[in-house]
Amino acid sequence: MNLRLILIPLLAWCIIAGITGTRAQDKGSVDPKPLPPLANPNDPKIAAKELFGRKLLPAAMPTRVVGFYAKGCLAGAEALPINGATWQVMRLSRNRNWAHPDMVALLERLSAKAHRDAGWPGILVGDMSQPRGGPMITGHASHQIGLDADVWLTPMPNHRLSREEREDMSAVMMVRPDRLDIDPHVWTPGHLAVIRDAALEPRVQRIFVNAAIKKALCREARGDRRWLSKVRPFWGHDYHFHIRITCPKGSKQCEPQPAPKEDEGCAPADLAYWFKDSVLHPKPPKEPPKPPHWLTLAQLPPDCRQVLAAPPARQ
């Protein structure tokens, strides 16, 4: 099938859904207002994101991944503490620092490696998942089963950020204004080191970055370059990179994603599509694209009903 025929509609949908990376820059509030109660939460037509987005705590259930990265939920989620020796969580108002314990442990390891290998004080962690996973009211289509996480490409400052700073601070744009390469004024060898450290984690299956960042990694990586196969170009991700890990061992309800190709993905033909003018500067559609169909609870795996209905875990 023609790749262009697949990706151009997908780009339009990404723009509508707000998952191309711009949402990562949306500012939050130190005093977020609770979502209003739903008039009819049992309406079968209601979007599942409205139900999962109102759960403030994880389900009091054993840890379990249910479904696919973009169509599922998470029981027994664990929170990444908002402060660590080598990490800090951003946008606390979103309450998205929850994940499978394997992802929490990976981020803690990665933060220490970023300090060691890149000389960063640590990492800034963006969106992970909601307390019970599931679709989000704003932002990502994925991040639903606790196996995805965003890491800012801005090093952690050498001081603890205030709540105000965590809501207002913006990540640094890594891509040149013409979108054809990284911005040499902000890109450093440390960025390569942190992405490489993430890719070398055995459980990491994919890392999504802007195509200009992939180009820079291909150009600058030295030595064993096999880790580059995990780094995939995708729209957005100008300010952060997205880590995706494989299904936990023995997790029968987790739907895996096929592994990426083992080649580096650095050949001119691999990157050519992303730098076409029609992709970098897409023309407005002749007709407004139809709004996406939001998943309902009935369209998620059946066990997500149990996860949603379970009592909250004690914190």
Side-chain angles (χ1 to χ4, degrees):
M1 184 177 290
N2 188 302
L3 183 63
R4 181 183 176 87
L5 295 179
I6 299 172
L7 294 179
I8 290 297
L10 179 60
L11 174 58
W13 182 82
C14 287
I15 293 171
I16 295 170
I19 64 171
T20 58
T22 55
R23 288 286 186 183
Q25 296 300 295
D26 286 356
K27 295 181 179 182
S29 170
V30 295
D31 185 27
K33 305 302 180 186
L35 293 170
L38 295 169
N40 184 7
N42 295 318
D43 182 351
K45 296 181 181 179
I46 195 168
K49 64 179 183 175
E50 300 290 347
L51 302 172
F52 281 92
R54 284 170 167 75
K55 294 296 184 180
L56 303 181
L57 291 170
M61 302 171 70
T63 301
R64 181 161 47 116
V65 172
V66 182
F68 187 64
Y69 300 92
K71 191 176 183 180
C73 59
L74 174 66
E78 180 180 323
L80 175 70
I82 64 172
N83 295 307
T86 49
W87 76 83
Q88 295 184 51
V89 175
M90 304 300 286
R91 302 296 191 263
L92 302 180
S93 60
R94 296 182 184 179
N95 193 29
R96 294 178 181 175
N97 59 313
W98 302 87
H100 188 280
D102 292 355
M103 175 58 85
V104 172
L106 185 148
L107 290 171
E108 293 177 356
R109 288 196 304 274
L110 177 62
S111 72
K113 292 176 180 177
H115 179 69
R116 180 194 69 199
D117 298 337
W120 290 9
I123 61 173
L124 297 176
V125 180
D127 287 352
M128 297 165 63
S129 292
Q130 299 178 130
R132 305 191 190 200
M136 297 180 177
I137 290 178
T138 61
H140 316 276
S142 60
H143 289 251
Q144 292 193 29
I145 55 176
L147 304 181
D148 293 286
D150 291 340
V151 175
W152 285 26
L153 285 164
T154 303
M156 185 184 86
N158 58 7
H159 65 277
R160 181 167 292 183
L161 296 169
S162 67
R163 292 189 70 90
E164 289 83 359
E165 288 173 312
R166 296 182 200 224
E167 301 297 346
D168 293 339
M169 177 179 166
S170 294
V172 176
M173 162 65 89
M174 291 286 124
V175 180
R176 244 169 36 190
D178 64 7
R179 315 292 295 166
L180 295 174
D181 212 325
I182 49 88
D183 183 345
H185 297 100
V186 295
W187 177 262
T188 70
H191 291 95
L192 183 150
V194 174
I195 296 173
R196 180 183 60 211
D197 281 341
L200 288 173
E201 282 280 344
R203 284 285 305 282
V204 169
Q205 188 194 55
R206 279 174 171 77
I207 293 176
F208 299 112
V209 297
N210 182 279
I213 294 174
K214 172 70 175 185
K215 178 195 283 188
L217 296 173
C218 290
R219 182 173 62 233
E220 299 173 13
R222 300 291 182 266
D224 187 346
R225 294 165 52 95
R226 286 177 293 180
W227 58 272
L228 285 166
S229 65
K230 295 183 181 182
V231 183
R232 319 303 294 182
F234 201 72
W235 286 287
H237 302 93
D238 308 3
Y239 306 83
H240 70 277
F241 64 98
H242 176 152
I243 300 172
R244 173 167 293 172
I245 64 174
T246 57
C247 289
K249 186 176 181 181
S251 185
K252 297 180 180 179
Q253 291 181 288
C254 180
E255 183 181 341
Q257 184 174 12
K261 295 180 180 179
E262 294 185 358
D263 63 278
E264 294 179 359
C266 292
D270 295 325
L271 296 172
Y273 168 82
W274 299 97
F275 296 104
K276 289 182 177 180
D277 186 68
S278 59
V279 174
L280 292 176
H281 308 101
K283 295 180 179 179
K286 293 181 180 179
E287 297 181 3
K290 294 181 180 179
H293 171 73
W294 302 114
L295 293 170
T296 64
L297 187 57
Q299 292 172 308
L300 297 179
D303 280 7
C304 286
R305 289 182 177 273
Q306 300 175 14
V307 173
L308 195 63
R314 294 182 180 180
Q315 297 297 305

